[in-house]
Amino acid sequence: MNSLTHNTAPTQFVETAGIRFAYRRFGKKEGIPVVLNMHFTGTMDHWDPAVTDGLAAEREVIIFNQAGISSTSGETPESIYEMANHEAAFIDALEIKQIDLLGFSMGGLVAQQLVLDRPELVRKLVLVGTGPKGGEGMQSLTPEAQEIFGATYETPGDLWLKVHFSPSEKSQAAGRKFLERTALRTIDRDPLSKDTVAGAQVAALGAYNVITEDRYSDLKKIKQPTLVINGSTDVIIYTINSYILQQNLPDATLVLFPDSNHGSLFQYPSEFVGYVNSFLNK
């Protein structure tokens, strides 16, 4: 067992495809590692230690920043396809032959595209708070997301209370605990993403989510066992998209958490870790 944790694992760097990728590795060394794909504008320090350390108790966890994000060099591409290519190059640079892949929100789109491009690389897939290419309300930020991201907040954490948690007292209380956990790493923290990232990622989402006649046909090509998880009322990527994933992927299980929004994994970290570890251990 590696003694490093979410809060103590050092930031490392690997150069490939003209990009200097920032990443962290911690957890058990043996077995297949799980690579985590972050959400819109998020950095490595937007992951919840309760989630990452829970996964690391049973496998190695690798978190990283995509091109142009925080401590990774380059510019953020306006293409999900290019993001998937970058991730494949990053994994190859680490000389890893096979991974399990967990994609959250926009990271879930990149994860699906990576599986389509390099199916031999991914053993199992976990999709959280995300949807299919061309999904319902995914052609741009949802009206709720536009309002949330367009507002001003006294502290940066208040934004994530709106993004990830429902308005209920219980959910907001869980959100405040989440913010406390994400603040625990005090050394070698990632800087926030630069201002140009959001625009590039919005452009990438718009270009990727064009509705076509064969709208969900790519999902049929993903043969990996897949676990789909979301909140019951996700207003960032509507929950209906999780049903669409489960209905169209050949081998998918769906879990919905009650009274929860986009960040169900952060509201129910213990339960989330239990579902994911059980799925990956089978």
Side-chain angles (χ1 to χ4, degrees):
M1 177 70 180
N2 189 327
S3 61
L4 297 175
T5 68
H6 179 98
N7 290 329
T8 63
T11 300
Q12 303 180 66
F13 296 91
V14 64
E15 293 195 28
T16 183
I19 301 162
R20 186 171 184 255
F21 286 95
Y23 69 98
R24 299 175 189 151
R25 300 176 75 160
F26 50 100
K28 286 187 174 181
K29 286 293 188 182
E30 65 269 15
I32 296 174
V34 59
V35 176
L36 275 55
N37 288 8
M38 180 39 85
H39 61 64
F40 180 78
T41 72
T43 74
M44 291 187 286
D45 287 317
H46 286 95
W47 287 112
D48 186 344
V51 168
T52 54
D53 285 339
L55 297 175
E58 301 193 22
R59 69 202 75 254
E60 185 177 28
V61 170
I62 300 174
I63 58 177
F64 76 108
N65 292 325
Q66 272 276 4
I69 303 296
S70 187
S71 46
T72 291
S73 71
E75 296 299 322
T76 302
E78 298 183 357
S79 166
I80 297 294
Y81 301 100
E82 191 171 351
M83 292 178 194
N85 287 338
H86 286 168
E87 181 167 12
F90 164 70
I91 294 166
D92 289 343
L94 295 182
E95 299 183 345
I96 298 172
K97 300 304 181 185
Q98 192 172 50
I99 63 169
D100 291 325
L101 185 56
L102 188 156
F104 176 32
S105 192
M106 188 191 73
L109 295 176
V110 179
Q112 291 171 65
Q113 190 58 49
L114 178 58
V115 171
L116 290 167
D117 294 344
R118 295 280 300 277
E120 79 290 347
L121 187 61
V122 181
R123 182 186 69 117
K124 289 188 176 183
L125 182 62
V126 182
L127 299 174
V128 187
T130 192
K133 180 169 66 175
E136 292 293 328
M138 293 176 60
Q139 288 62 54
S140 62
L141 295 182
T142 65
E144 295 92 337
Q146 291 179 45
E147 180 179 349
I148 290 169
F149 282 105
T152 57
Y153 301 93
E154 290 187 12
T155 63
D158 291 341
L159 164 67
W160 301 112
L161 289 178
K162 291 281 192 179
V163 170
H164 292 318
F165 301 90
S166 79
S168 76
E169 182 177 344
K170 179 180 179 181
S171 185
Q172 288 295 300
R176 288 188 289 273
K177 291 180 180 178
F178 158 74
L179 293 178
E180 291 174 1
R181 294 192 298 270
T182 58
L184 290 174
R185 184 182 176 105
T186 57
I187 299 174
D188 189 28
R189 284 186 66 88
D190 258 349
L192 295 176
S193 295
K194 55 191 176 184
D195 292 340
T196 55
V197 167
Q201 291 186 343
V202 167
L205 291 170
Y208 193 70
N209 284 306
V210 173
I211 296 175
T212 61
E213 290 184 5
D214 58 347
R215 194 173 183 182
Y216 304 132
S217 59
D218 278 350
L219 295 178
K220 306 294 186 185
K221 303 173 187 176
I222 297 176
K223 307 302 183 183
Q224 285 80 352
T226 304
L227 178 62
V228 181
I229 299 179
N230 206 349
S232 58
T233 312
D234 187 344
V235 300
I236 305 300
I237 295 181
Y238 293 139
T239 302
I240 187 62
N241 289 294
S242 294
Y243 285 100
I244 294 169
L245 287 171
Q246 194 279 326
Q247 289 293 300
N248 287 275
L249 288 163
D251 184 3
T253 299
L254 174 64
V255 174
L256 295 180
F257 286 108
D259 181 30
S260 52
N261 185 17
H262 195 53
S264 62
L265 71 169
F266 304 144
Q267 183 169 340
Y268 298 94
S270 296
E271 293 87 346
F272 175 84
V273 165
Y275 278 115
V276 175
N277 278 339
S278 176
F279 170 71
L280 296 181
N281 287 340
K282 289 179 181 177

